[in-house]
Structure formats: structure tokens, C-alpha cells
């Protein structure tokens, strides 16, 4: 069974940084694209970043230049490095496997002074 487990969320001040992790099990990690999404109460879940099997990346405009998605195939883990965080980045962040539409449980990121 496919399982995705996020970690690394927390409370940070504006301008701070966090690195989120998503460890996958039950799949051949190198054979799949992976996404990061985020969601706030009452809002649509939006895709933040994607990394392909070949290592190409995508970012939504609001995070370009601040967030970086990466992966470690040996650890079966996808990362989201988040720098220069803004209060608007506050959300629950989810990793997502498009093939089969699998989701992790989410990790809370709160940016506040």
C-alpha cells in the first residue's frame, strides 16, 4: 500500500525558513512525479510545486524564487525548502502522488509574528 508521510511544519516568523519532508513507501519512488499542495480553511487546495521523474520542477507564481522542491531517491523522500516565508504562506501542506491520487496527512505551517 502506498503511504506518504509529511513532516517539518511548525511556527516561524515572517522572513524565516522551513524544510518540509515527505517520505514515501510502497512505490518505486524514482518512477513517479511528486507534488506539494497547500490548503487553508475554506479555500481550494492549490499546487505549490512539482518535481518530475527526470528532475524538472514547477512552481506556482506566488512561491517562485522562495521555495525549492527536491528529492532524494535513496531515502525515498521529497523535500520542500521554504525561504522568506510570508503570513500568506500559512496553510496545511500536503505531498501528493498523481498516479493513484494519493495524499499525505498534511503538516501545518504557520507564519506569524
Amino acid at each position: 500500500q502506498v503511504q506518504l508521510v509529511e513532516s517539518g511544519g511548525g511556527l516561524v516568523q515572517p522572513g524565516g525558513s522551513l524544510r518540509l519532508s515527505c517520505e514515501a513507501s510502497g512505490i518505486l519512488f524514482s518512477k513517479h512525479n511528486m507534488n506539494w499542495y497547500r490548503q487553508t480553511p475554506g479555500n481550494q487546495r492549490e499546487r505549490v510545486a512539482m518535481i518530475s521523474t527526470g528532475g524538472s520542477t514547477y512552481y506556482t507564481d506566488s512561491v517562485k524564487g522562495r521555495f525549492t522542491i527536491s528529492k532524494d531517491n535513496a531515502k525515498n523522500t521529497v523535500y520542500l525548502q521554504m525561504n522568506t516565508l510570508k503570513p500568506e504562506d500559512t496553510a496545511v501542506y500536503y505531498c501528493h502522488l498523481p498516479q493513484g491520487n494519493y495524499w499525505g496527512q498534511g503538516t501545518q505551517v504557520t507564519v506569524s509574528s
Side-chain angles (χ1 to χ4, degrees):
Q1 181 179 359
V2 174
Q3 290 188 332
L4 307 174
V5 180
E6 302 98 332
S7 62
L11 174 64
V12 297
Q13 292 189 340
S17 298
L18 285 173
R19 188 177 75 161
L20 306 183
S21 299
C22 173
E23 184 176 357
S25 61
I27 61 169
L28 295 174
F29 184 79
S30 63
K31 300 294 185 180
H32 298 275
N33 298 346
M34 293 295 296
N35 296 318
W36 282 100
Y37 281 76
R38 66 185 180 187
Q39 187 172 30
T40 56
N43 295 320
Q44 297 282 327
R45 190 170 295 185
E46 65 170 343
R47 187 167 67 166
V48 175
M50 181 274 288
I51 186 163
S52 75
T53 56
S56 63
T57 58
Y58 158 87
Y59 301 95
T60 193
D61 286 343
S62 63
V63 308
K64 286 181 179 177
R66 300 188 298 120
F67 290 12
T68 303
I69 188 170
S70 62
K71 63 179 180 179
D72 185 335
N73 287 333
K75 294 183 178 181
N76 225 37
T77 299
V78 175
Y79 303 96
L80 186 67
Q81 178 67 46
M82 305 185 295
N83 298 325
T84 318
L85 283 161
K86 305 175 181 180
E88 298 92 316
D89 297 317
T90 296
V92 177
Y93 284 72
Y94 299 88
C95 68
H96 174 249
L97 174 63
Q99 186 172 359
N101 196 32
Y102 291 97
W103 297 90
Q105 84 289 346
T107 185
Q108 176 71 49
V109 172
T110 302
V111 185
S112 176
S113 60

